[in-house]
Amino acid sequence: MSSLALPLEFEFAVSKIAANHNPNTRFKLIAEINKDFIRIDFQGYFTENFASKNRPYSNPINDFCRNKRVDFWLLWSTGQLALSGWWRTEILSLEYTPFMQSWSNEDGEGIARPYPDGDKFEAIAASLYPILQQYFQV
């Protein structure tokens, strides 16, 4: 794909998947698309239901609204999906295909699925995988 923008339908679908697993959070997607891989950064922002006049900032993607604890990164290449994100004090990564899932820490060492967030991350990966296959044949 030569465009640097994500297809709108794709962006809506993956944002909805991420938001479903992180209540009260919306995501800003920043994409890097090359011929060999796709990287998408999911930046989390808090959402709250209150009067717009009571907001300290009217811009919903102001740094005041950032929820960095739910940020994660997606890398898609040759039918393999990798998700990385903060878990407590370190970055953990999940390599995912429908037939295999493996976890590693930031040093690249294999680890067991982290509890309790590992299930959520694997569910996100399982939901994203078919959408990535549909839109991006790298």
Side-chain angles (χ1 to χ4, degrees), residues 76-125:
W76 172 258
S77 178
T78 62
Q80 284 205 316
L81 171 61
L83 294 179
S84 298
W86 286 100
W87 187 75
R88 304 197 182 187
T89 60
E90 65 180 322
I91 296 175
L92 299 183
S93 297
L94 167 66
E95 291 185 30
Y96 179 88
T97 67
F99 311 105
M100 182 267 320
Q101 296 89 36
S102 66
W103 285 92
S104 59
N105 63 17
E106 57 193 28
D107 295 328
E109 300 166 339
I111 60 169
R113 176 190 301 144
Y115 178 81
D117 300 323
D119 290 340
K120 177 172 70 170
F121 232 49
E122 288 179 5
I124 291 171

Side-chain angles (χ1 to χ4, degrees), residues 48-68:
E48 295 184 27
N49 295 324
F50 54 85
S52 60
K53 292 180 181 179
N54 292 336
R55 289 181 183 253
Y57 297 93
S58 60
N59 182 356
I61 57 171
N62 183 289
D63 279 345
F64 178 81
C65 300
R66 284 285 279 130
N67 181 7
K68 294 180 182 181

Side-chain angles (χ1 to χ4, degrees), residues 35-46:
K35 66 177 187 163
D36 297 336
F37 73 91
I38 297 160
R39 177 191 165 108
I40 303 173
D41 295 348
F42 288 74
Q43 294 182 347
Y45 290 85
F46 288 110

